[in-house]
Amino acid sequence: MRTQVAIVGAGPAGLLLGQLLHRSGIDNIVLERRSREHVLGRIRAGVLEEITVSALAEAGVDARLRREGLRHEGVQLSFGGERHRIDLHRLSGGRHVLVYGQTELTRDLTEARAASGLATDYEVPDVTLHAFDTTHPQVHYTRGGRPVRIECDFIAGCDGFHGVCRASVAPAALRIYERAYPFGWMGLLADTPPLDDELLYVNSPRGFALCSMRSRTRSRYYVQCPLTDSVRDWSDERFWGELRERLDPGSAARLITGPSIEKSLAPLRSFVAEPMRFGRLLLAGDAAHIVPPTGAKGLNLAASDVLMLSQALEEHYRGRSSGLAHYSDRCLRRIWKAERFSWWLTSLLHRFPDDEFGGRLQHAELEYLVGSEAARAAFAENYVGLALEPPDHPGGPASGAAGSRHDPQ
Ligand code: FAS
Ligand code: PHB
């Protein structure tokens, strides 16, 4: 079997890339380890940057998003028992974010791919990559007990943090940068009205909390919890009680609770693998980087990676290779800025064990943030999403490495 691009992973990165390539007439197949139902059952991100929305529009998958997505022009911060609004729209020069669940986004992309008649093989757990350091890479797997061999021009590694693509690269060819956090997020989804019209990020002496939403009738909440906890440790009653303890009095009084329809524990980590290109293998999304969800960047970085990757591949098939040559550095310059913002906001809002001095620094920084127009503007431009570099931007290498390795074109 032959295709131009073999995409490993049917999460947001793989599916969005598949649609963008299809719109440019580039043939592709998507290979997914899990079932379609399993992928569609995941509850994850909730906030989309305008760049992500425009990428979905370019892919022709933005109709429901524009109907049902909630436009948010501000976010709220709560600390010391008080709330402060950051006017994203005014401070970012008219920009906003859209609240629309990743679950719905993945469903829209999945349905669009099926409607396009594009090949997607679900439940193929044994994908292996071959010869991606040549101009004739291959992907092998079994389907229905029979071996399948795909010959392609490129392999797109969109298979997330635990995928096979980054794991197929020789360790000596990878530079890994990582920071783990001594806590996780317990998340709860409920069909209850959200606390407010906007998101509320909370720094409380008991720990971080986040009041988010999926619609005007479905709420999404998170509380910081020890990594040693499990969902079994958190009854609905305990979750609602702890959340209420972390909220300012006015918010606590307005909180509407109800039975959870989903609860999950997410560990927090910062992670970047450099570079993102290895010959004809290109990594995108969580396969290459992870951010703590505090800054709502994970899904949005995946979208900007595949937007830049689709531009580079389109250029390749038009006979120019500079996009591919600069793909990794162009992505990494934006990724590291999002890593910084996500690390900074996580460090600012979470309670770190045995760090009273750090707690006082957090309070001073929060007071500075809400009291400074410049600091609020810096927050706003990062939260709504930094601009994409144009494809021909001369920017130098993003990483400390001396240039990128020789790669077959
Ligand atoms: P994904 O992990 O979504 O998709 C990768 C796909 O590849 C999966 O479907 C997987 O099954 C498949 N795969 C893996 N190995 C394979 C193999 N060997 N062969 C074939 N397929 C394979 N981001 C936010 O912005 N806000 C949040 O609140 C937030 N919460 C999160 C909670 C959790 C528990 C997790 C894990 C992540 C969260 N994220 C959040 C980040 C998340 O949204 C990711 O950034 C986003 O899913 C990235 O999309 P992909 O790169 O497509 O990776
Ligand atoms: C969510 O709604 O899941 C969400 C929103 C904002 C974040 C993280 C998660 O920063």
Side-chain angles (χ1 to χ4, degrees), residues 328-337 389 393-398:
S328 181
D329 283 342
R330 187 183 174 209
C331 283
L332 285 168
R333 278 191 289 276
R334 190 166 194 274
I335 287 158
W336 273 110
K337 294 185 180 77
E389 284 178 12
H393 184 282

Side-chain angles (χ1 to χ4, degrees), residues 11-18 20 45 47-59 65 102 105 109 158 276 283-287 289 291 296-311 327 330-331 334-335 338 386 388:
L15 291 171
L16 177 55
L17 178 61
L20 289 169
V47 172
L48 305 184
E49 298 173 359
E50 286 181 46
I51 286 175
T52 301
V53 174
S54 59
L56 288 158
E58 189 177 325
L65 164 65
Q102 177 174 326
L105 180 65
L109 286 163
C158 300
M276 293 169 61
L283 303 181
D286 278 17
H289 46 74
V291 286
K297 292 300 166 204
L299 174 56
N300 291 299
L301 280 179
S304 52
D305 285 355
V306 299
L307 188 58
M308 290 188 267
L309 179 51
S310 66
Q311 291 168 351
Y327 166 71
R330 187 183 174 209
C331 283
R334 190 166 194 274
I335 287 158
L386 300 178
L388 274 194

Side-chain angles (χ1 to χ4, degrees), residues 34-341:
R34 307 303 295 266
S35 71
R36 183 180 183 276
E37 294 66 33
H38 180 93
V39 174
L40 291 174
R42 290 183 183 131
I43 308 289
R44 287 196 181 159
V47 172
L48 305 184
E49 298 173 359
E50 286 181 46
I51 286 175
T52 301
V53 174
S54 59
L56 288 158
E58 189 177 325
V61 191
D62 63 326
R64 187 160 73 110
L65 164 65
R66 296 199 186 275
R67 281 198 311 275
E68 298 178 9
L70 301 175
R71 178 187 172 111
H72 280 210
E73 297 189 354
V75 290
Q76 313 258 345
L77 291 181
S78 165
F79 63 97
E82 294 187 2
R83 291 175 52 148
H84 307 267
R85 182 174 190 265
I86 296 190
D87 187 340
L88 299 173
H89 189 257
R90 180 179 69 80
L91 291 161
S92 67
R95 312 247 324 272
H96 64 276
V97 293
L98 216 57
V99 170
Y100 188 74
Q102 177 174 326
T103 309
E104 305 316 313
L105 180 65
T106 307
R107 178 174 301 281
D108 297 342
L109 286 163
T110 304
E111 290 174 357
R113 183 166 183 86
S116 305
L118 296 171
T120 309
D121 273 349
Y122 283 96
E123 300 182 74
V124 290
D126 57 349
V127 166
T128 54
L129 282 55
H130 302 270
F132 53 81
D133 56 346
T134 74
T135 54
H136 301 288
Q138 295 187 5
V139 175
H140 301 173
Y141 58 98
T142 52
R143 179 178 55 209
R146 299 171 61 85
V148 178
R149 180 174 296 220
I150 295 181
E151 296 175 355
C152 51
D153 299 331
F154 294 95
I155 303 170
C158 300
D159 51 346
F161 184 69
H162 300 289
V164 66
C165 291
R166 190 182 74 247
S168 299
V169 176
L174 277 168
R175 292 183 303 281
I176 302 293
Y177 302 89
E178 187 164 19
R179 176 163 296 189
Y181 298 88
F183 39 72
W185 280 16
M186 182 59 65
L188 181 145
L189 193 68
D191 280 332
T192 55
L195 182 74
D196 273 319
D197 293 340
E198 294 181 334
L199 271 59
L200 175 65
Y201 290 83
V202 181
N203 170 306
S204 96
R206 298 173 70 96
F208 169 82
L210 170 59
C211 301
S212 182
M213 64 196 76
R214 290 294 177 269
S215 70
R216 291 192 173 83
T217 58
R218 177 165 286 191
S219 302
R220 178 70 171 167
Y221 294 103
Y222 298 95
V223 294
Q224 172 185 348
C225 68
L227 280 172
T228 50
D229 278 8
S230 73
V231 172
R232 288 187 308 277
D233 300 317
W234 286 84
S235 67
D236 287 8
E237 184 185 8
R238 180 186 177 196
F239 185 96
W240 291 122
E242 184 58 38
L243 175 61
R244 192 171 269 122
E245 287 289 337
R246 298 187 187 187
L247 294 174
D248 60 276
S251 301
R254 283 200 316 281
L255 180 66
I256 297 173
T257 66
S260 63
I261 53 179
E262 187 268 355
K263 271 185 288 195
S264 52
L265 174 68
L268 272 60
R269 81 174 82 231
S270 299
F271 175 92
V272 179
E274 293 185 3
M276 293 169 61
R277 178 187 178 201
F278 307 88
R280 290 300 180 98
L281 168 62
L282 301 111
L283 303 181
D286 278 17
H289 46 74
I290 297 286
V291 286
T294 322
K297 292 300 166 204
L299 174 56
N300 291 299
L301 280 179
S304 52
D305 285 355
V306 299
L307 188 58
M308 290 188 267
L309 179 51
S310 66
Q311 291 168 351
L313 289 169
E314 287 155 27
E315 195 185 83
H316 167 83
Y317 285 107
R318 291 200 300 267
R320 292 180 56 208
S321 60
S322 63
L324 281 173
H326 297 135
Y327 166 71
S328 181
D329 283 342
R330 187 183 174 209
C331 283
L332 285 168
R333 278 191 289 276
R334 190 166 194 274
I335 287 158
W336 273 110
K337 294 185 180 77
E339 289 281 348
R340 182 209 65 81
F341 176 70

